[in-house]
Amino acid sequence: SDYTREFSIALGSIRVGTTPTLASITRRVDAASARGIAFVGWNANPAPTNDAMMLARGQLLDLDLFWRAEHAIPESFTVFVHLVDSTGRVFADADSPPSRGIFPTDRWTPGEIVRDRHTFMIPPDLAPGEYAIEIGMYLPSTNQRLAFNRASPDDRIVLAPVQVK
């Protein structure tokens, strides 16, 4: 009979945990995009000293990036985190959708701050020297990067210089 059939429908997603606040961000940044995504800051482990990071070859770096949706975001962007030299050559990366795909940008609530963790290893064979960490977002379907800072658009945000020893 029809009464024994089971019908189901997805009602939405459930979020568990606490929402970060601006007070939990040690390195504040104000970078906005025309697509409604703002980058509000970052934390790192190990933490930078004197605005630079001292890292050893083979060392792991944990970066917590903090984003905020200014309005509903219809697209799902991927975040890139790159260790680059002065010419922009990428030596390590940790690209993924926000929160490793668990919390994509098209599910963000306007005004909410989202913590997005990225971990990568400084390559063990990397030459000692000066590098930088840059981040940003792109649409995976087109690889087009999102421009930040409406007044002078740039497709990446440089977080900090890195001294690799």
Side-chain angles (χ1 to χ4, degrees):
S1 96
D2 282 47
Y3 296 108
T4 60
R5 276 195 223 155
E6 185 175 321
F7 294 95
S8 64
I9 185 168
L11 298 177
S13 58
I14 298 173
R15 287 193 270 195
V16 179
T18 59
T19 301
T21 64
L22 291 176
S24 64
I25 303 170
T26 56
R27 303 281 173 168
R28 295 285 306 277
V29 177
D30 183 19
S33 74
R35 298 295 264 292
I37 296 175
F39 177 63
V40 296
W42 58 284
N43 296 343
N45 184 22
T49 56
N50 300 326
D51 292 324
M53 301 177 119
M54 301 294 282
L55 300 170
R57 292 176 286 175
Q59 183 173 3
L60 285 178
L61 175 64
D62 290 323
L63 284 175
D64 285 332
L65 308 177
F66 295 91
W67 307 94
R68 183 183 62 235
E70 296 177 338
H71 54 71
I73 311 297
E75 303 98 352
S76 181
F77 287 89
T78 293
V79 176
F80 67 85
V81 178
H82 295 160
L83 177 70
V84 298
D85 66 8
S86 61
T87 68
R89 183 174 169 208
V90 177
F91 287 91
D93 61 31
D95 293 17
S96 74
S99 302
R100 296 183 179 112
I102 295 171
F103 198 23
T105 56
D106 59 358
R107 292 190 188 164
W108 291 0
T109 302
E112 176 181 33
I113 296 174
V114 175
R115 184 185 77 132
D116 174 29
R117 173 157 289 178
H118 294 263
T119 300
F120 65 89
M121 178 186 288
I122 304 302
D125 58 348
L126 185 66
E130 298 200 13
Y131 299 87
I133 295 175
E134 64 180 24
I135 62 139
M137 287 190 175
Y138 63 92
L139 277 175
S141 59
T142 63
N143 285 331
Q144 181 176 1
R145 288 186 175 184
L146 186 60
F148 284 89
N149 294 328
R150 291 181 187 123
S152 60
D154 199 350
D155 66 359
R156 67 187 176 280
I157 300 164
V158 177
L159 295 188
V162 175
Q163 183 68 42
V164 174
K165 47 187 171 160

